[in-house]
Amino acid sequence: MKLIKWLFINRSIRTKILWSSVLISLVPMLVLSILFYESSTKSLERTMYRSADQNAQYVAGYLNQYFRDLSSSALQVYGFSHVMNLMEHGRSVTDEDFFNTKESLKNYYTLVSNKNKDSVIKIMIFGKNNQLRDYWSRAASYDSIPFDESIPHYGDMLDLPFRESLAFTYADAMLHRDFFVFAITIYDPFYRSKIGTLVFYIQKKELGKIIEANNKAPNVIVLRNSRGETFYNTNDTYADIIPTLDEPDSHLKNKPKAIQFVQRKNLLVGTSYLDNGNLSLTIVYPNEELARHGINTLLIAIGALVFALVSISLLSLLAQQYITRPIKQLGNAMKTVRHGNFHVTLNQPNRYRDDISELTRSFNYMTETIRELIEQRYQMQLRNKEAQLLALQMQINPHFLYNTLQTIGGKAVLIGDYDIPEMCRSLGELFRYSFYEGNTESTIGQELAHVSNYLYIQQFRFEDSLQIEFDVPEELMDTPIVRFVMQPIIENAVVHALGGPDDLQLLIRVRAETDDGAVVLSIRDNGPGIAYVKLEALRSGLELKSLEVFSGVSIGLKNVHERIRLAYGDPYGLEIDSCPGEGTDIRIRIPYRKRGELLA
């Protein structure tokens, strides 16, 4: 899903058409490639399986015959009574038995050697008590082959169970040669009592010749004894996939040529059991042809994919003239409308009608309708202005009221009262600032002058109970600000802090400073403060849009906050902090710019 979003979201129509065509064509092609690969691979696997099965049957039969000959050579000792008597009771003291036993041993050694094609180099005969009774060596150099702790399974190879043999290989440290050892314990066939043990030595290289004569590289042959130990392998390349078999399977033991194959990656692994040697045979067939076939199929699929992508890309470039180009023209026209130009008309094709041409007609109809609505709105605003002018003519002329206050102040001066003229002047300035018919935007300096006139009049009422302090840098006096944002805040402080039963001296501090491209006006008082619940309700109310339409100047904090945001945007407005008994701090945040500059 994330891949689909990355391919199609925030992409052009041309790109979306290209990716859609690629995905639609790619999925069926991948399915067909997979089916082709699977069918051809399965067919080749069956062929390789039959070939490997036949080879495994042959190798298993040949090695089973080899170990059958070796095992039967040991069991033929039952036909030599003097050798059996030697193993069970030791040598006789009579000369006749001595020579007969010697002759029997000679015949037995010759039989074993001939039966195993002269591959046996040494035979050791042990008695019932595991004592060496006699031995035979093909050469004098083999007489020194030791039989001690240096040989694996030295402690238990002379006491094997009935009809069980043990085969293993080891490196002789004295002769510096590798030997294959085959041991079998001889029992009385009726009473199952031990008679002795026969141990055969064969050079490992001779065993390797016999095995490799029936093997073809790169196949790997692995032999394990009844203990599950690997005593011969062609190489250990595939040692990790050879199954671990502690004991021969009884079912397959009766069918030593029955082989089971397990496919793993590009390998065929067959395992069978050689019951005559009590051994397991594993043959690994590296299926190189199957691997090459997979690579060839993969290259064909990649080539087909690349060809399809190139073809689809060329076709999409041709298709854009009839699909994406009109849509792009429509998008550019919409951008023009977004910037306020509604006098845009697209050419409508008359030769054919499709979805894109219908979008073009709808767009032209929309821009024409918007132009008509704008003209209607403009005419309605003109009529509203005319109605407002008529209403203003019926009101008292504010200039007449201002001139009347000046006349009253002049009369008061004539009778020697100088407070009344000052109050009339302050009140007249308040009226003049309120009835100013120019721009609704003023400056911080003018706002402070308006606040000073208001406080001057209030000080006549509250006298020393009202104190005011201004701390505004000179360079911020010309900063533009919406009119009537400070006087409503100060008026709220005066109304809620003075005029009550408590004799409280109210101090109002007005400060101004810059903060990260903005000007922050702080109006702090030492009044009674605002309760926490009411403060939270007041803060929440500031964030809710008012549905009322205000006319004239409102003294509400909410109206001041909304007018600032309407003029400058959401980052600006009022922030209120208060603590009961310690006073209230209201901060006005406006953009910092010089007079005449436009907002960015």
Side-chain angles (χ1 to χ4, degrees):
M1 183 60 66
K2 292 183 178 180
L3 178 61
I4 297 298
K5 291 182 178 180
W6 181 82
L7 290 177
F8 290 97
I9 293 179
N10 296 329
R11 305 292 181 182
S12 63
I13 296 294
R14 178 180 176 182
T15 304
K16 291 180 180 178
I17 292 175
L18 177 61
W19 282 123
S20 299
S21 303
V22 169
L23 292 178
I24 292 172
S25 304
L26 188 60
V27 172
M29 187 174 64
L30 287 177
V31 172
L32 292 176
S33 299
I34 293 173
L35 292 177
F36 168 73
Y37 176 79
E38 290 294 331
S39 61
S40 60
T41 301
K42 291 295 183 183
S43 177
L44 185 58
E45 283 179 357
R46 287 191 293 268
T47 303
M48 300 297 294
Y49 181 88
R50 288 193 296 267
S51 176
D53 182 49
Q54 294 173 359
N55 178 262
Q57 293 282 351
Y58 175 76
V59 174
Y62 183 86
L63 291 179
N64 198 36
Q65 181 63 43
Y66 174 78
F67 287 107
R68 181 186 293 116
D69 292 340
L70 190 60
S71 179
S72 62
S73 298
L75 297 177
Q76 283 179 345
V77 74
Y78 286 104
F80 295 87
S81 58
H82 290 283
V83 178
M84 294 284 289
N85 186 62
L86 174 65
M87 285 193 296
E88 186 174 10
H89 302 290
R91 292 187 181 273
S92 176
V93 296
T94 65
D95 293 338
E96 183 180 358
D97 286 340
F98 175 82
F99 287 108
N100 290 334
T101 300
K102 186 175 182 181
E103 185 66 22
S104 296
L105 288 170
K106 179 181 178 182
N107 293 334
Y108 177 70
Y109 294 146
T110 302
L111 175 66
V112 173
S113 178
N114 293 333
K115 191 175 184 62
N116 294 278
K117 301 177 182 179
D118 297 330
S119 62
V120 178
I121 62 172
K122 187 173 183 177
I123 302 174
M124 302 182 72
I125 301 176
F126 290 88
K128 184 177 183 179
N129 57 357
N130 295 338
Q131 296 294 322
L132 180 64
R133 301 297 191 190
D134 194 78
Y135 72 91
W136 168 85
S137 299
R138 180 171 298 280
S141 59
Y142 300 128
D143 292 344
S144 60
I145 296 177
F147 190 83
D148 51 23
E149 289 82 356
S150 63
I151 301 177
H153 304 290
Y154 167 77
D156 56 355
M157 64 184 296
L158 300 180
D159 294 299
L160 297 174
F162 178 69
R163 298 186 64 181
E164 182 174 322
S165 60
L166 178 62
F168 59 90
T169 58
Y170 80 100
D172 192 290
M174 294 180 60
L175 299 178
H176 303 288
R177 293 186 184 182
D178 296 332
F179 294 107
F180 167 66
V181 181
F182 183 84
I184 184 170
T185 301
I186 305 301
Y187 284 85
D188 185 297
F190 300 103
Y191 299 103
R192 303 283 179 89
S193 60
K194 178 182 174 183
I195 295 177
T197 302
L198 293 174
V199 180
F200 299 87
Y201 284 82
I202 300 173
Q203 291 198 72
K204 186 178 179 181
K205 64 179 182 179
E206 297 297 330
L207 177 65
K209 290 179 181 179
I210 296 173
I211 295 175
E212 293 299 334
N214 297 274
N215 184 39
K216 185 177 180 181
N219 299 342
V220 177
I221 292 180
V222 179
L223 290 172
R224 290 187 173 183
N225 58 23
S226 58
R227 309 297 174 86
E229 301 170 345
T230 299
F231 67 88
Y232 180 86
N233 62 338
T234 306
N235 60 68
D236 56 357
T237 304
Y238 307 107
D240 59 326
I241 66 170
I242 303 300
T244 301
L245 304 171
D246 295 333
E247 296 181 359
D249 185 90
S250 61
H251 174 69
L252 292 180
K253 187 175 181 179
N254 297 327
K255 297 181 180 179
K257 295 182 181 180
I259 300 176
Q260 294 179 334
F261 284 90
V262 178
Q263 181 182 357
R264 176 172 174 174
K265 296 182 180 179
N266 60 336
L267 301 176
L268 291 174
V269 181
T271 301
S272 63
Y273 296 91
L274 311 179
D275 60 337
N276 287 286
N278 203 22
L279 307 173
S280 65
L281 166 67
T282 300
I283 307 178
V284 181
Y285 299 91
N287 204 341
E288 297 179 349
E289 185 175 351
L290 182 62
R292 289 194 298 269
H293 174 78
I295 294 175
N296 293 335
T297 304
L298 180 62
L299 293 176
I300 293 173
I302 293 175
L305 176 63
V306 172
F307 176 78
L309 290 177
V310 172
S311 301
I312 292 171
S313 300
L314 293 177
L315 291 175
S316 64
L317 291 175
L318 295 176
Q320 68 154 334
Q321 181 177 358
Y322 302 98
I323 299 177
T324 61
R325 184 177 298 176
I327 295 177
K328 187 174 182 180
Q329 292 175 352
L330 183 60
N332 293 332
M334 288 182 176
K335 289 181 181 179
T336 304
V337 172
R338 188 173 61 187
H339 288 87
N341 183 7
F342 297 97
H343 297 277
V344 180
T345 303
L346 296 175
N347 295 327
Q348 300 182 14
N350 297 322
R351 293 177 297 175
Y352 56 88
R353 298 177 68 89
D354 56 9
D355 296 339
I356 298 178
S357 63
E358 288 299 324
L359 286 175
T360 302
R361 291 184 177 88
S362 299
F363 175 80
N364 291 338
Y365 175 77
M366 179 192 69
T367 55
E368 183 179 355
T369 304
I370 291 175
R371 289 197 300 269
E372 292 177 355
L373 291 175
I374 290 175
E375 292 177 358
Q376 293 176 2
R377 181 67 176 174
Y378 180 71
Q379 293 176 359
M380 184 180 296
Q381 289 180 349
L382 288 178
R383 289 194 294 270
N384 290 337
K385 286 293 184 181
E386 293 176 355
Q388 291 176 2
L389 289 175
L390 292 175
L392 287 175
Q393 290 177 1
M394 300 176 63
Q395 296 177 357
I396 298 176
N397 191 330
H399 294 288
F400 173 74
L401 180 59
Y402 178 75
N403 293 332
T404 303
L405 288 174
Q406 286 186 333
T407 303
I408 295 173
K411 292 290 185 180
V413 171
L414 293 177
I415 63 176
D417 192 337
Y418 295 97
D419 291 334
I420 294 177
E422 194 62 25
M423 290 181 63
C424 289
R425 183 197 61 77
S426 298
L427 184 59
E429 292 295 332
L430 286 176
F431 279 125
R432 173 178 289 181
Y433 191 76
S434 301
F435 292 138
Y436 179 69
E437 297 178 359
N439 195 342
T440 59
E441 193 173 58
S442 180
T443 64
I444 292 179
Q446 292 174 344
E447 275 287 289
L448 292 176
H450 177 68
V451 168
S452 298
N453 289 325
Y454 168 76
L455 291 174
Y456 180 80
I457 295 174
Q458 293 294 341
Q459 283 178 333
F460 276 97
R461 176 183 176 186
F462 298 107
E463 297 180 348
D464 294 337
S465 297
L466 177 61
Q467 301 294 326
I468 184 75
E469 293 181 2
F470 294 101
D471 184 11
V472 179
E474 184 65 27
E475 61 269 14
L476 298 180
M477 287 297 185
D478 289 334
T479 302
I481 189 173
V482 178
R483 296 161 65 88
F484 302 111
V485 296
M486 298 178 64
Q487 186 261 335
I489 298 173
I490 294 177
E491 184 176 351
N492 283 340
V494 173
V495 170
H496 291 90
L498 298 177
D502 299 333
D503 187 12
L504 176 68
Q505 187 177 34
L506 178 64
L507 174 61
I508 299 176
R509 292 187 177 92
V510 180
R511 296 183 60 209
E513 60 184 359
T514 58
D515 179 24
D516 193 18
V519 175
V520 178
L521 289 167
S522 174
I523 303 175
R524 178 185 294 272
D525 65 69
N526 61 345
I530 305 173
Y532 177 77
V533 176
K534 186 176 181 181
L535 178 63
E536 290 300 319
L538 186 59
R539 288 173 175 172
S540 300
L542 290 180
E543 298 303 322
L544 298 176
K545 296 292 184 181
S546 177
L547 299 179
E548 301 179 13
V549 178
F550 294 91
S551 59
V553 179
S554 173
I555 62 173
L557 295 180
K558 182 175 178 61
N559 184 37
V560 172
H561 181 70
E562 289 187 1
R563 287 195 297 115
I564 292 175
R565 286 203 164 181
L566 286 173
Y568 304 124
D570 290 343
Y572 305 100
L574 298 185
E575 299 176 2
I576 304 175
D577 286 327
S578 182
C579 183
E582 297 182 7
T584 303
D585 183 12
I586 299 179
R587 294 179 296 279
I588 306 171
R589 179 178 289 271
I590 60 174
Y592 179 37
R593 58 190 176 91
K594 296 182 180 180
R595 193 168 189 181
E597 290 183 354
L598 297 177
L599 285 175

